[in-house]
Amino acid sequence: MQYFMPTKIIEEKNVVVNHAQTIASYGKRALIVTGKQSASLTGALSDIKTAFEITGTEYVLFDQVQENPPVETIALGAEIGEACDFVVGIGGGSPIDAAKAIAVLIKAGGMDPYEALFEHKLLPALPVIAIPTTSGTGTETTPYAIITNHKLRTKLNFSSKVFPELALMDVSYFLHMPKEVRNNTCVDALTHLIESYMNTNANYYSDAACEEGFRLWGRVKLSLKESSTKEENMIIFMRASSIAGIAISQTGTSLPHGMGYPLTYEHGMAHGKANGVFMYAYLSACKNQIKVKRILELVGFESLFALGRFLQDLLGTFALTDEEVARYTDSMMSNEAKLKNHPDQVHREDIIRMYRNAMLTL
Ligand code: NAP
Ligand code: ZN
């Protein structure tokens, strides 16, 4: 049994400015990686600029990361940040994952980006600092970076492992997410807890993280029905998301994440929704119903159906053609990394059934 999660988490109000000297200790010149708007809207970008002004650190800004960033964006970021000593990713999973991949590509100096990101195992990276603004991916505590690979027409985890050196958590950055972004990302955190708990690689440490994550998520789940976001609820979702990241950093995710990637790639469905829609069908199919019962107890649902209904109310439904179900099933059946994380034997018909059941109105 093993546990390894080397990221230092600092959680407090004003964390970025308060820890300006620690941030500056990673080098003379930083690359800041963000999406188009949210880093400014949340105040996180202006906080990091203040931290760099206080410490006299030079920086370059790359603010062009779109959702589900493709290799081509990573290559552009690496070009812009070529002369930097460390990378700061601010935002949801997309910019922070991009920051990790850019940190690898800069260090790989001139290597072909597809080769560096998907073929070479464990390339070294520049230090990465993660400043999350969504409560879903937990990427601040995982070594993963999910990058869109247009050559393979899907999303893939890169082949290196980059834990951020620092995760700087300030709940103020999480308070103004539109309801849909908030709900999709909070559901993503729940799916991480579930897929880690039901995982082949689950162990004492990952399960302990999951069980606390379930309790936290369950305590504030009803607040997802409200349009406004209260700070006391969001701080709990923020912790549930990071602790879910800690759990999947040990186990990985499994079938729902693999089945959801084509919904995002081909239908533009938000990542959290693309996994969340499978939870009822997936948990119904899991052989270990003792653990499923334990999840329901900890999250506070009286039945699996109640959990399914709750998620469907939040996320809505979706529809696929028979051709899509068949094609996505083939893709899932060739995804060995995700299949091996699921402890039961999986046949093609099981995946087809899960896609079909996930489309039913509960
Ligand atoms: P995201 O794709 O980073 O962002 C979604 C949207 O939310 C964007 O429009 C973004 O705006 C906006 N946004 C972000 N923070 C906001 C805030 N505080 N207020 C208002 N709007 C905000 O969403 P995500 O769900 O966090 O990340 C999804 C990505 O992470 C996917 O690529 C997924 O595969 C990956 N992922 C990674 C891991 C991992 O361990 N590495 C785990 C799970 C998922 P801007 O574009 O302006 O920033
Ligand atoms: Zn996820």
Side-chain angles (χ1 to χ4, degrees):
M1 189 158 65
Q2 293 185 14
Y3 175 85
F4 180 67
M5 204 298 284
T7 303
K8 178 170 184 173
I9 302 171
I10 310 178
E11 184 205 301
E12 66 195 40
K13 283 275 185 72
N14 250 328
V15 68
V16 171
V17 176
N18 290 351
H19 294 273
Q21 298 298 344
T22 310
I23 299 170
S25 72
Y26 289 95
K28 291 199 174 78
R29 194 173 158 89
L31 172 67
I32 306 172
V33 177
T34 72
K36 294 207 169 83
Q37 287 181 318
S38 68
S40 298
L41 291 177
T42 55
L45 181 59
S46 113
D47 286 350
I48 194 81
K49 287 182 175 172
T50 304
F52 287 151
E53 273 152 30
I54 293 170
T55 55
T57 307
E58 291 171 32
Y59 63 85
V60 191
L61 175 64
F62 177 53
D63 61 1
Q64 295 302 312
V65 179
Q66 61 278 63
E67 293 180 38
N68 310 294
V71 174
E72 293 68 22
T73 298
I74 307 306
L76 185 60
E79 228 178 278
I80 290 170
E82 200 181 19
C84 292
D85 303 315
F86 65 107
V87 185
V88 181
I90 304 175
S94 297
I96 296 178
D97 283 6
K100 294 176 183 178
I102 289 169
V104 167
L105 203 52
I106 292 176
K107 195 92 174 172
M111 195 185 289
D112 173 75
Y114 277 89
E115 195 186 324
L117 296 177
F118 299 115
E119 289 171 27
H120 282 269
K121 292 264 176 232
L122 306 182
L123 286 178
L126 296 182
V128 173
I129 296 174
I131 305 175
T133 65
T134 65
S135 48
T137 71
T139 181
E140 67 277 5
T141 52
T142 78
Y144 314 126
I146 314 298
I147 305 300
T148 296
N149 181 326
H150 286 311
K151 287 190 185 167
L152 298 178
R153 296 183 51 75
T154 188
K155 294 168 55 168
L156 275 182
N157 183 24
F158 72 169
S159 50
S160 293
K161 284 189 190 302
V162 179
F163 277 106
E165 299 279 328
L166 274 182
L168 300 176
M169 317 287 299
D170 184 337
V171 70
S172 328
Y173 302 149
F174 295 69
L175 297 179
H176 307 291
M177 278 183 264
K179 185 179 177 195
E180 209 183 334
V181 172
R182 180 195 71 189
N183 288 0
N184 287 335
T185 59
C186 288
V187 167
D188 190 25
L190 178 68
T191 69
H192 294 163
L193 294 167
I194 290 175
E195 290 176 50
S196 176
Y197 201 60
M198 303 307 296
N199 205 288
T200 313
N201 308 313
N203 68 21
Y204 169 81
Y205 296 101
S206 61
D207 276 1
C210 287
E211 291 187 1
E212 178 57 9
F214 289 134
R215 277 186 209 100
L216 292 173
W217 208 94
R219 246 163 64 196
V220 285
K221 62 182 184 293
L222 294 180
S223 69
L224 295 177
K225 306 259 179 191
E226 295 163 9
S227 319
S228 65
T229 301
K230 293 196 181 75
E231 185 176 320
E232 67 261 32
N233 295 329
M234 189 39 73
I235 202 161
I236 293 176
F237 279 123
M238 179 181 89
R239 289 176 187 160
S241 171
S242 292
I243 213 165
I246 290 172
I248 57 168
S249 72
Q250 310 305 303
T251 59
T253 56
S254 72
L255 303 182
H257 269 67
M259 292 171 71
Y261 287 156
L263 301 187
T264 300
Y265 190 85
E266 292 198 11
H267 297 263
M269 193 185 284
H271 173 74
K273 175 172 177 178
N275 312 313
V277 292
F278 292 111
M279 283 305 112
Y280 174 68
Y282 168 68
L283 287 172
S284 305
C286 285
K287 288 223 168 75
N288 190 343
Q289 287 296 313
I290 294 173
K291 262 188 144 175
V292 172
K293 269 210 173 117
R294 182 82 182 124
I295 293 174
L296 296 173
E297 270 167 31
L298 290 166
V299 188
F301 287 107
E302 63 190 15
S303 64
L304 185 49
F305 184 77
L307 179 146
R309 274 289 291 275
F310 181 86
L311 291 180
Q312 200 164 74
D313 276 357
L314 285 185
L315 303 171
T317 52
F318 72 106
L320 300 174
T321 64
D322 288 348
E323 184 275 331
E324 284 169 333
V325 169
R327 200 154 42 80
Y328 300 168
T329 298
D330 289 341
S331 156
M332 183 64 233
M333 290 308 289
S334 64
N335 190 339
E336 282 171 24
K338 298 286 182 222
L339 286 174
K340 79 174 165 38
N341 286 353
H342 183 66
D344 311 328
Q345 242 209 334
V346 182
H347 302 286
R348 201 169 180 281
E349 310 79 71
D350 301 321
I351 301 294
I352 290 181
R353 197 174 312 113
M354 268 189 249
Y355 273 115
R356 296 238 160 92
N357 288 345
M359 287 189 270
L360 298 174
T361 302
L362 298 175

